[in-house]
Each structure stands twice: as C-alpha cells, then as structure tokens.
Amino acid sequence: MESVLSRYENQITILSDYLEEFPETDEPVWILGRQHHLNTDKSKLLLDISARLWFTYRRKFSPIGGTGPSSDAGWGCMLRCGQMMLAQALICRHLGRDWQWEKHKKQPEEYHRILRCFLDRKDCCYSIHQMAQMGVGEGKSIGEWFGPNTVAQVLKKLALFDEWNSLAVYVSMDNTVVIEDIKKMCWSPPQSSSAAHSSAHLHRSALGRNKNAAGFCTGWKPLLLIIPLRLGINHINPVYIDAFKECFKMPQSLGALGGKPNNAYYFIGFLGNELIYLDPHTTQSFVDSEENGTVDDQSFHCQQAPHRMKIMNLDPSVALGFFCKEECDFDNWCSLVQKEILKQQSLRMFELVQKHPPHWPPFIPPTKPEVTTTGAELIESTDKLFEVEEEFEILSV
C-alpha cells in the first residue's frame, strides 16, 4: 500500500478550481513565439504547453549545504521559475522550439541530459542546491525568497560552470540592453586548448557527463538574454501592456518571470488580456535519474490546462527572457524590438542601444573563476567566488 501511495505522490495534482478550460474565442493564443487558434487546434496548443519542462516544489531531497532544508516548499518558487525559463532555453538550444514531448515516448539523450541539469542534487549544475547556495553571494540566505533579478544574477553565475551548454547569459542593467556588449560577450574567444581540455576532463570525471564539453566553445555562444524590469510602482502601468504582450510573440521568447509578492509564476504566453503561466506551487517528491541516465519525467510536465491571470493583476517586478542561438537570431530580435517595443515614444518598457553608455564602467564579459575543481563541487561556499561585484550589471528593483 505504501509503495502505491508513494508512486501517486509524484503524480500531478491540481485542484479542480484551477482546471478552468480555455474559453471559446476567435482570439489567438500566443505561447513562446507560436500562435495557436482555439477553434481549430486546441489539442495542439495543450501539447505545446505540456512540452515545457515544469519544475515545482520538491521534498525529500538531500539537505542543502548538508544541514539545510530538504524541501523548497514555501520559498523556492522563483528559483523553480528561473529553472523553467533556463530549461526552455536549453530545449531550444539542443532540440529546437518545435520539439514536442509525448507521455511514455522515448526521448533523445539530449532531453534527459537537460533534465539532469535540474535534478535536486548538489552535483547538478542548475539544481535547487546550486541556486540557493549561489544566492548567498547575492545577499539571500538559504530558504529566503528570491526576486526576478536575483534569480537572473544567479543563473548568470552558474552558467559559467556549465561547459556542455556553453551559454552566454546577459542580464540587462537600468532597463537598457547594449548590443555592443552582447556581441562582445557572445563572440568572446574560447579557452586555450590546454585549458579547455583540462577543464573538460575535470568536468567529465566529476560529473560523468559532458562527453564533448568543449565542443560548443567556438563561434557565437548561444545567448540567454534576461531583462529585469519594473513596470510600475505598486501595480503594472497599463501603458506597458501592449509591449509586454508583444514579447511573447517573438520567436526568441522564453516568457517572463514574475507573479505576485512571494508568489512566483513562469509566464509563457497570453490570450487577450490574460497571461498564461506554469505554477510551481505543487509539492512533489524528489526524483533522481536511473542507472542508465534517463529520468522518470512524468512529474516534470504539466499535463493539465494551465493557469491564467489578468495581466493587470501582475506585480510590476518582472524579468523577460529571450534565447538567440545564432547571431542572426539576435539581429532579428533587435529588429523586432525596434519595430514593436521602441515605437512607444514615451515610457518605453526598456531601451535598446548600439553602444556601451560612456558613463557606465567598462563592460568585461564574465569568465569562470580560476578553480581547481568543478562548479558543482566548488559552490559549497560563495564567499570568495565573486569578491568584486559588477554593480553596473545588477538592476535594483
């Protein structure tokens, strides 16, 4: 009986009052750059949503830091939303935006490798353990709630240790995206061959993965662009709504982090004036990988109609996400921003500028700190990881 109950603990449980179906309407639904029509392809829409990786509260994982919490229920929702946004970037990176997930269908190795990055273990590069401990360097105690900007800064630092995905993570400052800085960062020269070989060897031996860890280090580094914003004082300013919705139409869209105070959601699209989101506030049991490296993924996909909320109920502190695999994707994104976002003459949601502002400190692309071990083992303490804080890259919200 106990085994049956434990098996069902991992099943998705959503209260009936959250299962509101989509209304009958001719308005299109936009999900991460893809348009759906409810009257003709509702099932396709739900398949698209269920393909997104869904990270929720978990319990019964190893204590964070050895003696810390073994569950993130009540405090980890924004970290889980950050995981979901990053996971969507990795899906686009390795499998493509149009990849679909089907229950019980065999998935490619890249998919399971992506999932393993987020398992609740200290040796997984984007685990709740790594994110919570890296948050200490951002002034957040383990078990303390994060805001969108803090999660963005944590992901930027953790990505430096992720050699397999080799992402360039840019977090905008002061509502300004600088094209020159992004291109400088994404075209940064790779490590020397000896350093790359040594680092790859360490990473493989410690984590047993990343067979070609340095294989993606040449040319344009895929870009994860995160734009923390404050779209009002206490409530979202209606002047920003149209521009905010336009971001979900862009093919580079990774959605948005936000929600309500101490209640974070991962927003993936909209219908009319309602935002569509994945909710991390379901507590499930810890899931580990199998001996063959695969992951029982049933609890990592939301297989019900998603939640919706009125856009005016959104807390004004948000973070937009975009993924540009190639330079041409970034150039296209810049064109779309110029056309759809910057057409607003007053109260623009954010600015896109070509050159680095002269009154800012010089932009130096972040690099992995010199260490003698891997990131997974290094981030037991963040005291000396980033002693010099790059203040101009941190947005105060």
Side-chain angles (χ1 to χ4, degrees):
M1 182 67 178
E2 185 177 350
S3 63
V4 174
L5 289 174
S6 64
R7 184 168 10 123
Y8 280 97
E9 281 180 343
N10 272 343
Q11 298 304 309
I12 300 163
T13 55
I14 302 179
L15 298 177
S16 58
D17 57 337
Y18 288 152
L19 293 177
E20 179 187 3
E21 291 288 340
F22 285 104
E24 296 297 327
T25 177
D26 293 329
E27 286 191 87
V29 179
W30 286 91
I31 301 291
L32 301 176
R34 296 293 186 270
Q35 186 181 43
H36 298 276
H37 295 279
L38 289 172
N39 292 338
T40 58
D41 58 1
K42 188 174 182 179
S43 61
K44 186 177 178 182
L45 164 64
L46 295 177
L47 279 174
D48 192 19
I49 293 171
S50 67
R52 304 312 115 216
L53 284 173
W54 180 48
F55 297 121
T56 72
Y57 290 152
R58 296 276 173 172
R59 63 177 179 269
K60 300 181 181 178
F61 50 69
S62 63
I64 297 175
T67 58
S70 57
S71 172
D72 63 312
W75 59 271
C77 53
M78 185 62 81
L79 282 74
R80 297 300 185 180
C81 291
Q83 287 180 326
M84 285 190 267
M85 176 179 281
L86 176 57
Q88 178 59 22
L90 301 187
I91 291 290
C92 293
R93 164 91 166 88
H94 296 286
L95 303 175
R97 169 61 183 88
D98 295 321
W99 168 83
Q100 294 293 312
W101 176 83
E102 292 182 37
K103 194 174 182 179
H104 303 309
K105 180 181 177 181
K106 181 177 174 60
Q107 297 297 340
E109 163 59 20
E110 289 86 355
Y111 166 76
H112 290 282
R113 199 168 177 183
I114 290 168
L115 255 184
R116 291 197 299 268
C117 291
F118 298 94
L119 295 180
D120 300 316
R121 296 171 16 184
K122 69 175 184 178
D123 62 340
C124 296
C125 53
Y126 300 113
S127 67
I128 194 77
H129 299 66
Q130 297 286 17
M131 294 185 71
Q133 293 190 134
M134 186 62 85
V136 173
E138 295 295 322
K140 296 290 185 180
S141 301
I142 294 174
E144 187 176 352
W145 195 83
F146 285 30
N149 182 58
T150 304
V151 167
Q153 300 296 337
V154 164
L155 292 178
K156 181 178 74 171
K157 290 181 176 179
L158 287 178
L160 298 174
F161 301 94
D162 177 14
E163 295 172 355
W164 175 50
N165 293 297
S166 188
L167 294 179
V169 181
Y170 179 93
V171 181
S172 67
M173 185 192 97
D174 292 342
N175 296 9
T176 303
V177 177
V178 182
I179 296 173
E180 178 183 53
D181 293 348
I182 287 176
K183 296 213 171 188
K184 180 179 180 181
M185 179 174 63
C186 290
W187 282 109
S188 293
Q191 307 175 61
S192 67
S193 58
S194 59
H197 175 79
S198 173
S199 178
H201 173 74
L202 283 166
H203 203 72
R204 284 195 300 271
S205 61
L207 299 184
R209 54 188 75 133
N210 295 351
K211 295 178 181 178
N212 189 18
F216 294 128
C217 291
T218 58
W220 172 271
K221 292 182 69 173
L223 169 68
L224 170 55
L225 168 59
I226 304 177
I227 308 176
L229 299 170
R230 186 84 184 178
L231 301 179
I233 301 176
N234 297 316
H235 303 282
I236 189 170
N237 189 328
V239 74
Y240 296 121
I241 288 179
D242 287 343
F244 187 71
K245 288 161 61 175
E246 282 295 329
C247 291
F248 292 98
K249 297 181 181 180
M250 297 178 179
Q252 300 85 358
S253 174
L254 295 176
L257 308 177
K260 301 174 182 179
N262 297 331
N263 268 302
Y265 306 125
Y266 175 41
F267 295 97
I268 58 174
F270 72 92
L271 167 62
N273 283 320
E274 290 186 321
L275 295 172
I276 299 168
Y277 65 92
L278 298 179
D279 187 352
H281 300 90
T282 295
T283 304
Q284 304 183 87
S285 289
F286 164 65
V287 172
D288 205 350
S289 57
E290 307 289 342
E291 287 186 10
N292 62 2
T294 62
V295 179
D296 182 358
D297 63 353
Q298 298 302 305
S299 65
F300 291 100
H301 293 272
C302 185
Q303 299 168 63
Q304 304 286 351
H307 302 291
R308 306 197 310 274
M309 68 178 284
K310 298 289 186 183
I311 194 168
M312 285 302 297
N313 292 336
L314 178 69
D315 185 88
S317 181
V318 300
L320 297 169
F322 303 94
F323 177 71
C324 302
K325 185 175 182 179
E326 307 288 350
E327 185 177 22
C328 60
D329 299 320
F330 177 63
D331 292 339
N332 174 258
W333 179 82
C334 292
S335 298
L336 290 173
V337 168
Q338 293 283 359
K339 179 181 177 183
E340 303 296 343
I341 306 297
L342 302 185
K343 63 183 179 182
Q344 183 76 27
Q345 294 303 308
S346 61
L347 286 179
R348 291 176 175 176
M349 193 164 62
F350 61 87
E351 297 290 344
L352 177 67
V353 299
Q354 184 69 45
K355 295 292 186 181
H356 185 84
H359 59 283
W360 285 10
F363 176 76
I364 302 174
T367 56
K368 179 179 174 181
E370 290 295 326
V371 295
T372 57
T373 184
T374 67
E377 294 171 337
L378 168 77
I379 309 172
E380 294 290 346
S381 169
T382 59
D383 293 345
K384 296 183 179 180
L385 254 183
F386 297 90
E387 292 179 334
V388 180
E389 193 58 80
E390 297 162 313
E391 295 180 2
F392 62 95
E393 291 184 354
I394 294 181
L395 175 68
S396 298
V397 294

